[in-house]
């Protein structure tokens, strides 16, 4: 029987030029399938991937194409320490380039965040070896509502990035 619930807020380090994706999966095969989804989505993608195994040996499993990013993913998984959580750090790609492929990985249950903004993960602990992600805090609160100039700037930015004609 549970003695209560303890919450922990984990701040996510996101180096300049890097994005992070955090999600939930359900099977050890996740690593190889996410690896394939990423490398097939963007040529020359750089990433580190780590996955918290929830049963068996309960190891932090890891893959990637960049050792620095792999280490960041492993370190964040150590801090989160919640079963079936995965972390991907990306360079040379944006989350928008890979999210659709990740959603089609059959083991992926949920994607909590995909961002380069300040990010915190809220973890609940119900027993010493039972932790789970209950949510994330991504970025900052709004300062207002966009006006006509802001709308024009947003539309131009999307086109400058090449996402619209």
């Amino acid at each position: 029987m549970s003695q209560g619930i303890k919450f922990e807020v984990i701040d996510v380090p996101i180096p300049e030029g890097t994005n992070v994706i955090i999600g939930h999966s359900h099977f050890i095969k996740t690593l190889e399938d996410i690896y394939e989804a990423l490398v097939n989505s963007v040529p020359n993608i750089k990433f580190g991937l780590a996955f918290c195994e929830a049963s068996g040996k309960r190891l932090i499993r890891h893959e990637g194409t960049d050792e620095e990013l792999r280490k960041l993913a492993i370190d964040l998984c150590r801090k989160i320490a919640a079963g079936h959580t995965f972390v991907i750090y990306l360079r040379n790609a944006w989350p928008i380039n890979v999210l659709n492929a990740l959603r089609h990985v059959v083991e992926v249950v949920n994607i909590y965040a995909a961002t380069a903004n300040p990010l915190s993960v809220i973890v609940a602990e119900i027993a010493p070896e039972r932790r789970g992600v209950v949510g994330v805090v991504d970025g900052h609160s709004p300062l207002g509502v966009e006006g006509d100039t802001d709308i024009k700037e947003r539309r131009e930015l999307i086109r400058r990035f090449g996402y619209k004609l």
Side-chain angles (χ1 to χ4, degrees), residues 51-70:
F51 170 74
C52 297
E53 194 173 35
S55 60
K57 290 185 174 184
R58 295 182 8 220
L59 300 173
I60 295 173
R61 307 287 184 163
H62 54 93
E63 294 283 352
T65 62
D66 182 284
E67 287 307 310
E68 175 192 358
L69 299 177
R70 184 190 299 231

Side-chain angles (χ1 to χ4, degrees), residues 17-94:
T18 302
N19 279 264
V20 67
I21 299 171
I22 299 174
H24 190 90
S25 185
H26 76 94
F27 190 51
I28 194 171
K29 188 166 96 56
T30 300
L31 281 172
E32 290 181 38
D33 289 353
I34 287 178
Y35 183 101
E36 291 171 4
L38 294 173
V39 298
N40 287 322
S41 295
V42 179
N44 300 313
I45 189 172
K46 302 291 183 208
F47 68 91
L49 164 63
F51 170 74
C52 297
E53 194 173 35
S55 60
K57 290 185 174 184
R58 295 182 8 220
L59 300 173
I60 295 173
R61 307 287 184 163
H62 54 93
E63 294 283 352
T65 62
D66 182 284
E67 287 307 310
E68 175 192 358
L69 299 177
R70 184 190 299 231
K71 182 182 178 319
L72 284 168
I74 292 168
D75 289 347
L76 185 54
C77 273
R78 272 193 185 112
K79 291 175 187 171
I80 295 171
H84 287 151
T85 300
F86 67 84
V87 172
I88 304 166
Y89 276 92
L90 293 175
R91 278 200 192 113
N92 295 356
W94 304 100

Side-chain angles (χ1 to χ4, degrees), residues 117-134:
N117 293 324
L119 181 67
S120 298
V121 178
I122 304 164
V123 176
E125 183 175 297
I126 61 171
E129 295 180 355
R130 305 277 321 275
R131 292 166 59 94
V133 174
V134 295

